[in-house]
Amino acid sequence: METAARIELMSWLVGEGLTGLPENDLIRGFCERCRAGGIDVSRGLVFIDTLHPIFEGRGFRWNDTASNESDVFEYGSTEIGEAAANWRRSVFFHMLEEGHDELRLDLHAPGIADRFSMVGSLQEGGHRHGAVFLHKFGEAGSMGQMDCLYSYWATRHEDGFDERQMSALRELVPMLGLAIKSGAQMEIARTLGRVYLGRDAAEQVLRGKIARGVTERINAVLWFSDLRNSTGISEAIGPDEIIPFLNDYAEASIAAIHDVGGDVLKLIGDGILAMFTGDDMVKAKRNALRAEHQFRKNIAKLNAKRLAANRPVTTAYVGLHEGEVFYGNIGSDERLDFTVVGPSVNEVSRIASMCSSVDRPLLTSSAFQAGLDAAGRKYLVSTGRYALRGIGRAQDLYTLDPEIDSDEVVRGGYERYLAR
């Protein structure tokens, strides 16, 4: 590749990296420009570890012929099982163990397919030689396991990459790596935001709403749930069982809330604070009821699974309320929380705490019930009038008509209502 073509490709990588071109488009553009400049690349693969609660990292690949492979893939832990065995047979693991940053491979050398796990598929694809690179990050440039960029580049040429092509790859791959690392760091920021702040709160923060005291007044449908007898169960089981117990039931509720567009704002021990918003508050209330209904289904499946494994089970109380809240940054300059505050938040938690007193799994406020459409209100019945602790006025609290559980016709009508 001539100097002018290298500079042009470097400029393209810098520009597209700054604009945030997706990583799969970066590697495709890189390979196509390499080929146009005289580097006979037939396949490229780049992957990088990340910070994610499920995946260990993400990878991106390009091939010079059409294939059924996705150009983006995610991989789980390489510490256990078959993934660990495959990783230990990879050329990348070998290079880390031997301290190599670069390696050239004759993909048809005797025994090489038995030595390195990826070679067989490259041989089948008609690739002849490969160049493999490790680009390690410094301590200040690492984030958790994201401490290295791994890549290989294959060619169909009988003699492999010549010295001029290798020289060009040595210069260009780090530039590609820097652009991909930038994209990976943005994805980490989004992931951590969604996981620890909630989906909408993360978007608000990443759009720049991070100043202390910057809040907005909104109307929201609020959800507060907690587990029945979680303290007693936690005292009765082993310490190593407590976190899996809480995780199982948290997953049951969070999945139900997210499936209908709700936002989980805070996990408080075994309690969950969430909200449902939108221009149509009747729809937001129906979504909250849909989430509660799905939550019960999730719990039923979870309890069947846990009982089969001889593990303790429980259920949950849910309180629903509609009210005005302040939504935004609350705290100090050094520690902020992006959440909701206001009397309505206290009220929904008090409503949820009343569930055990009236022996109902769901209670809603008068404001929630009154704001439903007529079709929804007929499924809620009053449990009586109550003065909630710390709340200045007494109000009727509502629950689902018990016939929903006992009458198949009523239950079917309720489910059709939720599906609207």
Side-chain angles (χ1 to χ4, degrees), residues 59-62 67-73:
F60 316 93
R61 53 193 164 207
W62 174 88
S67 74
N68 293 325
E69 288 183 314
S70 169
D71 56 1
V72 180
F73 63 94

Side-chain angles (χ1 to χ4, degrees), residues 117-151:
S117 56
M118 68 182 188
V119 172
S121 62
L122 291 172
Q123 290 176 344
E124 292 173 5
H127 308 286
R128 300 290 304 177
H129 290 265
V132 191
F133 296 98
L134 299 182
H135 291 95
K136 298 177 183 177
F137 309 152
E139 183 176 347
S142 299
M143 188 179 296
Q145 290 183 307
M146 193 186 75
D147 59 1
C148 184
L149 184 92
Y150 306 85
S151 70

Side-chain angles (χ1 to χ4, degrees), residues 369 372-381 399-401 404 410 413-414 416-417 420:
Q369 187 269 352
L372 275 175
D373 52 16
R377 285 197 299 272
K378 73 178 184 180
Y379 294 110
L380 295 180
V381 296
T399 191
L400 287 175
D401 188 335
I404 291 174
V410 177
Y414 180 62
R416 286 192 296 274
Y417 166 73
R420 284 168 47 185

Side-chain angles (χ1 to χ4, degrees), residues 376-396:
R377 285 197 299 272
K378 73 178 184 180
Y379 294 110
L380 295 180
V381 296
S382 175
T383 62
R385 191 169 181 83
Y386 301 92
L388 303 176
R389 181 169 59 88
I391 307 299
R393 55 182 175 78
Q395 63 172 298
D396 282 327

Side-chain angles (χ1 to χ4, degrees), residues 39 42 44 57-58 65 77 87 248 301 367 411:
I39 303 177
S42 56
R58 301 177 75 219
T65 59
S77 174
W87 168 244
D248 280 349
K301 291 179 182 178
R411 182 169 62 252

Side-chain angles (χ1 to χ4, degrees), residues 6 15 31 45 55 65 104-105 119 133 138 140 154 193 213 218 289 307 333 344 348 351 357:
R6 294 191 197 187
C31 291
L45 179 141
F55 304 112
T65 59
R104 298 170 75 166
L105 296 177
V119 172
F133 296 98
I218 64 171
L289 290 173
L307 283 171
D333 290 339
S344 294
V348 73
I351 291 169
S357 299

Side-chain angles (χ1 to χ4, degrees), residues 347-366:
E347 192 166 345
V348 73
S349 67
R350 298 287 186 265
I351 291 169
S353 69
M354 286 293 297
C355 287
S356 60
S357 299
V358 299
D359 194 27
R360 296 302 301 168
L362 168 69
L363 287 176
T364 81
S365 67
S366 296

